[in-house]
Amino acid sequence: TYKHQHLTIVRAGKTAYSAAVTSPVCGTGCAPLATGKHSSVDVVDLEGTGEPNVLLRLYSGGAHCCAVDQVFSYDASTATYVETERNFGDPGERLVDLAHNGHYEFLTADDTFAYEFTDFAASGLPIQILTFSSAQFHDVTSSYPKLITSDAKRWLKAFSSQRKSHYQDTTGVVAAWAADEDLLGKQQQVATFLSQQAKAGHLNSPLFPRGGGQKFVAKLQRFLRQRGYLH
């Protein structure tokens, strides 16, 4: 149980920000979250402008939830820091320099796929890559086709294994595969493959026993369109 957490940012010897740590996700009870080589508080230039941001990582607690990032950006007009928050859900994030050019990306997965087509354990979460600038997170996943391709192969391998073993909970991983492939512009190939698998009886979930087959394909396509994977 964490209480009374406080964040203070000192700039050039003067306090530029000082407030209690709070989030809509976990109120004032958020826990500090360290990931990999990174501590719960990082000072890093996320925007590549030479002006460092303060990155605060929090954990809400609870099953499959939630890694929350708060980025504090300096506002020269008010001489203080502006907070931008993103809930990364269960997968959290890794701060990486994918292009090895000194600019950082948040490597994560799309948590909206969790529970959408089956239970959490059988859900597939497609890769997601974000950058941060102008006090906003930006989805730049489509700029990394090689990583998307690698992720798609992983989900297709999982689906093929499930299909061969007659596993009756296949909709989660094939949904993640479809999202990756649609983002690569392979919409027609995806539609053909899903139709074939539906006819063969390979698209099922015990959580939604009446929502398999072509009903699943229709629901998936609506979801992918809403999420911007399918146009």
Side-chain angles (χ1 to χ4, degrees):
T1 302
Y2 291 84
K3 297 180 179 179
H4 311 301
Q5 295 188 95
H6 200 93
L7 177 67
T8 301
I9 303 174
V10 177
R11 181 185 179 91
K14 296 182 180 181
T15 300
Y17 179 92
S18 184
V21 174
T22 183
S23 166
V25 179
C26 41
T28 58
C30 310
L33 176 64
T35 58
K37 298 179 180 179
H38 300 283
S39 68
S40 57
V41 180
D42 271 337
V43 178
V44 58
D45 181 5
L46 296 174
E47 305 179 68
T49 61
E51 175 64 57
N53 305 92
V54 174
L55 172 60
L56 176 63
R57 294 183 175 91
L58 303 170
Y59 176 58
S60 70
H64 305 305
C65 197
C66 285
V68 178
D69 279 16
Q70 294 180 344
V71 178
F72 296 83
S73 310
Y74 185 67
D75 183 354
S77 65
T78 58
T80 189
Y81 282 80
V82 177
E83 175 195 324
T84 305
E85 177 172 305
R86 183 177 181 89
N87 182 359
F88 282 94
D90 186 76
E93 51 81 4
R94 286 193 296 128
L95 191 62
V96 292
D97 180 1
L98 293 174
H100 306 290
N101 59 2
H103 298 286
Y104 290 97
E105 293 81 27
F106 293 86
L107 181 59
T108 182
D110 192 342
D111 196 46
T112 62
F113 281 73
Y115 302 104
E116 185 66 31
F117 305 104
T118 184
D119 58 62
F120 182 86
S123 294
L125 311 182
I127 188 173
Q128 191 174 58
I129 302 168
L130 307 171
T131 57
F132 183 86
S133 64
S134 302
Q136 292 183 343
F137 286 92
H138 306 274
D139 191 330
V140 295
T141 312
S142 58
S143 299
Y144 296 87
K146 289 183 179 179
L147 293 180
I148 301 172
T149 299
S150 178
D151 196 58
K153 288 180 179 178
R154 179 166 68 98
W155 294 121
L156 184 59
K157 182 179 180 180
F159 174 71
S160 298
S161 176
Q162 291 176 344
R163 184 181 58 192
K164 290 177 182 177
S165 64
H166 304 287
Y167 187 63
Q168 289 298 305
D169 205 350
T170 59
T171 55
V173 295
V174 81
W177 168 82
D180 283 338
E181 293 289 348
D182 280 340
L183 202 57
L184 291 170
K186 301 179 181 180
Q187 290 88 348
Q188 188 56 53
Q189 296 95 315
V190 170
T192 299
F193 180 81
L194 291 176
S195 179
Q196 293 171 344
Q197 298 308 310
K199 290 178 181 178
H202 294 150
L203 303 180
N204 303 288
S205 170
L207 194 63
F208 303 111
R210 297 182 181 179
Q214 291 293 353
K215 288 184 178 180
F216 160 73
V217 174
K219 179 182 178 181
L220 174 61
Q221 290 177 335
R222 289 194 299 270
F223 180 76
L224 294 177
R225 193 167 285 109
Q226 292 170 356
R227 293 293 301 160
Y229 291 92
L230 187 60
H231 300 283

